[in-house]
């Protein structure tokens, strides 16, 4: 009984800390602030534990991946590059064809992972959980590479995640992901606008 009481006393606090760290990550990422990555690391450490306890095992695995990407993102954003904004990796965009091919491949992988999780593990919502995980892996890579369209992926991923977290009783996290959708839309607008401004500046220099 003592362990159960301790679990419910500490779990909400941990989730609140994870929520704050995650919110800092997204806000700082939208502003292209490199300190988003330490915030991401803190949140992922906590969520690895939380999602495992709530049988969202693919989400728990995803957090381990996020830990590694926090270091990778810090490296990419801190690595000097030539040309404009030489202190960090430049914004870039992928073609529609590239995104369509990526979505098809990721969807096939999601189905395969979902089948495995449904067949061999007690995880809840195996297909939805696997889909958000697989697409989040790709989207996080896009963030590290500063691909503008990453924010569009996150809008969809966050919307699906809200349903999962509400069903599992992770209300603070569900609310956080609702806020994430708004920040993702803001991040896409800001990154897109800066990309256009940089492109115009580059064209003027060449002329």
């Amino acid at each position: 009984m003592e362990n159960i009481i301790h679990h419910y006393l500490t779990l909400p606090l941990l989730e609140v800390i994870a929520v704050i760290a995650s919110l800092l990550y997204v806000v700082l990422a939208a502003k292209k602030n490199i300190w988003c990555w330490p915030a991401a690391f803190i949140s992922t450490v906590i969520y690895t534990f939380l999602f495992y306890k709530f049988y969202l095992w693919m989400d728990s695995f995803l957090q381990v991946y996020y830990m590694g990407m926090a270091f990778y993102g810090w490296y990419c954003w801190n690595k000097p590059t030539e040309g404009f904004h030489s202190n960090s990796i430049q914004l870039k965009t992928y073609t529609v064809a590239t995104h369509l091919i990526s979505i098809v491949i990721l969807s096939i992988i999601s189905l395969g992972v979902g089948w495995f999780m449904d067949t061999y593990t007690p995880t809840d919502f195996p297909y939805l959980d696997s889909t958000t995980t697989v697409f989040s892996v790709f989207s996080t890579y896009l963030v590290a590479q500063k691909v503008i369209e990453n924010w569009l992926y996150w809008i969809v991923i966050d919307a699906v995640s809200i349903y999962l977290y509400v069903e599992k009783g992770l209300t603070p996290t569900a609310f956080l992901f609702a806020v994430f959708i708004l920040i993702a839309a803001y991040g896409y607008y800001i990154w897109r606008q800066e990309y256009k401004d940089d492109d115009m500046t580059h064209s003027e220099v060449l002329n």
Side-chain angles (χ1 to χ4, degrees), residues 34-52:
I34 194 171
W35 289 99
C36 68
W37 298 111
F41 181 81
I42 294 172
S43 68
T44 56
V45 170
I46 299 174
Y47 274 129
T48 297
F49 166 75
L50 290 180
F51 291 145
Y52 181 83

Side-chain angles (χ1 to χ4, degrees), residues 153-199:
Y153 284 90
W154 285 120
I155 289 174
V156 178
I157 293 169
D158 293 343
V160 175
S161 296
I162 289 173
Y163 169 76
L164 289 176
Y165 299 144
V166 168
E167 289 297 310
K168 297 305 296 184
L170 296 170
T171 306
T173 300
F175 175 77
L176 172 68
F177 274 68
V179 175
F180 279 173
I181 292 177
L182 299 178
I183 299 176
Y186 169 78
Y188 177 75
Y189 171 78
I190 293 298
W191 283 31
R192 189 74 185 179
Q193 190 61 46
E194 183 169 330
Y195 177 80
K196 291 179 179 179
D197 292 342
D198 286 351
D199 189 53

Side-chain angles (χ1 to χ4, degrees), residues 105-115 126-127 130-132 134-135:
I105 294 174
L106 294 171
S107 297
I108 294 173
I109 295 174
S110 298
L111 288 173
V113 175
W115 174 85
Y127 287 98
S130 297
T131 299
T132 57
V134 170
F135 275 84

Side-chain angles (χ1 to χ4, degrees), residues 33-188:
N33 187 314
I34 194 171
W35 289 99
C36 68
W37 298 111
F41 181 81
I42 294 172
S43 68
T44 56
V45 170
I46 299 174
Y47 274 129
T48 297
F49 166 75
L50 290 180
F51 291 145
Y52 181 83
K53 294 290 289 185
F54 280 88
Y55 288 94
L56 293 173
W57 286 4
M58 285 306 297
D59 268 348
S60 183
F61 166 77
L62 177 62
Q63 301 306 308
V64 177
Y65 166 78
Y66 282 163
M67 289 183 204
M69 289 302 294
F71 290 101
Y72 176 71
W74 177 275
Y75 168 78
C76 286
W77 286 31
N78 199 47
K79 182 180 179 181
T81 58
E82 297 180 357
F84 293 93
H85 301 292
S86 58
N87 62 327
S88 64
I89 189 171
Q90 297 178 44
L91 294 176
K92 61 175 68 73
T93 184
Y94 287 172
T95 65
V96 173
T98 298
H99 285 298
L100 288 177
I101 293 172
S102 299
I103 290 172
V104 170
I105 294 174
L106 294 171
S107 297
I108 294 173
I109 295 174
S110 298
L111 288 173
V113 175
W115 174 85
F116 177 85
M117 298 300 291
D118 187 34
T119 305
Y120 296 106
T121 75
T123 186
D124 294 333
F125 306 102
Y127 287 98
L128 279 181
D129 193 18
S130 297
T131 299
T132 57
T133 298
V134 170
F135 275 84
S136 293
V137 166
F138 179 67
S139 301
T140 304
Y141 172 77
L142 296 185
V143 176
Q145 290 296 313
K146 287 191 177 177
V147 178
I148 298 171
E149 293 82 17
N150 85 83
W151 298 109
L152 300 180
Y153 284 90
W154 285 120
I155 289 174
V156 178
I157 293 169
D158 293 343
V160 175
S161 296
I162 289 173
Y163 169 76
L164 289 176
Y165 299 144
V166 168
E167 289 297 310
K168 297 305 296 184
L170 296 170
T171 306
T173 300
F175 175 77
L176 172 68
F177 274 68
V179 175
F180 279 173
I181 292 177
L182 299 178
I183 299 176
Y186 169 78
Y188 177 75

